[in-house]
Amino acid sequence: MKREVSSRIVISVSEPATLVFSVAVAADYRPLDERLDIRLDGAPLGSTEILDMHGTRLHRVEAGAGELEVQYSATIEGRVQPAGSEAIDLIRYTRPSRYAESDSLAPTARAEFAGLHGPAELLAGVSSWVGTRLAYVSDSSRPTDGAIGTLLGRRGVCRDFAHVCVALLRGLDIPARLVSVYAAGLQPMDFHAVAEAWVDDAWRVVDATALAPRSSLVRIATGRDAADTAFLTILSGQAELVAMDVAAVVDPFPSDDVTELVSIG
């Protein structure tokens, strides 16, 4: 399997700012070729790479006022070993977090999925339940919306679908986390977010949007929820997103069966 991914982000910096980008593929991948180009008003600008947990590669940029453009591309051949888990992960990802209020949604999770048996059936059931109760509507949610707000509003984007899945799974005492990915076949094309659940000693993908084949996903960042996986964090200063383009292609293009257990690799 050959996967090619790229992104372009344009930021208007109105006063000197410290920015952190999460656009590079995770450290476990060994791309055939990879390019990160950062420019301020057309002039090259350096960055500092910082390795977060689970191999997330963050790039910190100190930018003066002007137009900042970040371009990234990578080509990946084959698959990497699926992510493992440490003991602390199974504690961290069973606790509630800012956008995944599993303590509040636990009664709902236990009532809705009490009759399901076996990991594959349970993950498929959660994915289908969320997918049938939420409408995917671009620009329909606020950055501060969590799983409860999404369920009440009955609509959202990929991060919202993933937050609801994560909260419900944690409510069932299943460790779950959020992953930002490049996703071939996604429409509309963008950075994508999915849930991962620790089942049968492996992290399994749960994507209630069903917008892209899970086996084609390329991991970018992994964390408790969107607070850990945002493609852009403004640490200081003033900056505004002007434009963004994301692309991901895979050859051959795989099929997907929601009843199968799939890991990102």
Side-chain angles (χ1 to χ4, degrees):
M1 178 185 292
K2 182 178 182 181
R3 292 169 283 180
E4 297 179 355
V5 301
S6 65
S7 57
R8 173 179 174 268
I9 300 171
V10 180
I11 304 288
S12 176
V13 183
S14 55
E15 66 177 54
T18 300
L19 311 172
V20 177
F21 293 91
S22 179
V23 298
V25 300
D28 287 343
Y29 296 101
R30 296 292 182 267
L32 296 177
D33 61 79
E34 184 179 41
R35 177 174 175 265
L36 175 65
D37 184 62
I38 304 174
R39 294 179 180 269
L40 182 66
D41 291 335
L45 185 64
S47 66
T48 301
E49 180 169 304
I50 302 168
L51 194 64
D52 197 355
M53 60 181 180
H54 309 309
T56 300
R57 296 161 62 202
L58 304 173
H59 289 90
R60 179 174 177 144
V61 177
E62 304 291 342
E67 183 177 90
L68 181 69
E69 182 174 3
V70 178
Q71 294 192 62
Y72 175 79
S73 62
T75 301
I76 298 166
E77 187 75 57
R79 298 176 63 81
V80 299
Q81 186 70 23
S85 180
E86 298 182 5
I88 188 60
D89 294 334
L90 305 185
I91 298 174
R92 177 187 294 116
Y93 297 126
T94 309
R95 291 171 171 166
S97 61
R98 176 180 177 182
Y99 296 113
E101 309 98 318
S102 54
D103 47 353
S104 297
L105 289 178
T108 299
R110 291 169 183 153
E112 292 291 339
F113 308 113
L116 299 184
H117 304 285
E121 183 180 0
L122 181 60
L123 296 191
V126 170
S127 179
S128 298
W129 190 90
V130 175
T132 56
R133 279 160 178 76
L134 301 182
Y136 189 98
V137 181
S138 298
D139 301 320
S140 62
S141 61
R142 300 168 299 176
T144 55
D145 286 346
I148 292 175
T150 297
L151 276 177
L152 292 174
R154 299 288 183 176
R155 62 181 184 174
V157 294
C158 59
R159 70 186 287 279
D160 304 306
F161 279 64
H163 283 152
V164 176
C165 288
V166 168
L168 292 172
L169 289 164
R170 291 178 187 171
L172 296 169
D173 301 323
I174 298 173
R177 60 193 191 182
L178 189 136
V179 185
S180 64
V181 296
Y182 287 103
L186 187 68
Q187 291 294 333
M189 182 55 70
D190 201 341
F191 291 113
H192 194 43
V194 299
E196 277 188 318
W198 183 254
V199 169
D200 285 353
D201 295 324
W203 289 106
R204 311 294 187 175
V205 186
V206 182
D207 185 4
T209 71
L211 291 175
R214 292 170 296 160
S215 62
S216 72
L217 303 179
V218 178
R219 185 185 304 273
I220 301 173
T222 307
R224 294 164 298 175
D225 52 35
D228 294 335
T229 59
F231 70 87
L232 169 64
T233 303
I234 302 173
L235 296 182
S236 66
Q238 295 292 326
E240 182 179 355
L241 179 66
V242 174
M244 183 174 69
D245 300 298
V246 180
V249 295
V250 60
D251 185 29
F253 195 84
S255 58
D256 200 5
D257 182 348
V258 70
T259 65
E260 294 181 353
L261 296 177
V262 176
S263 298
I264 297 176

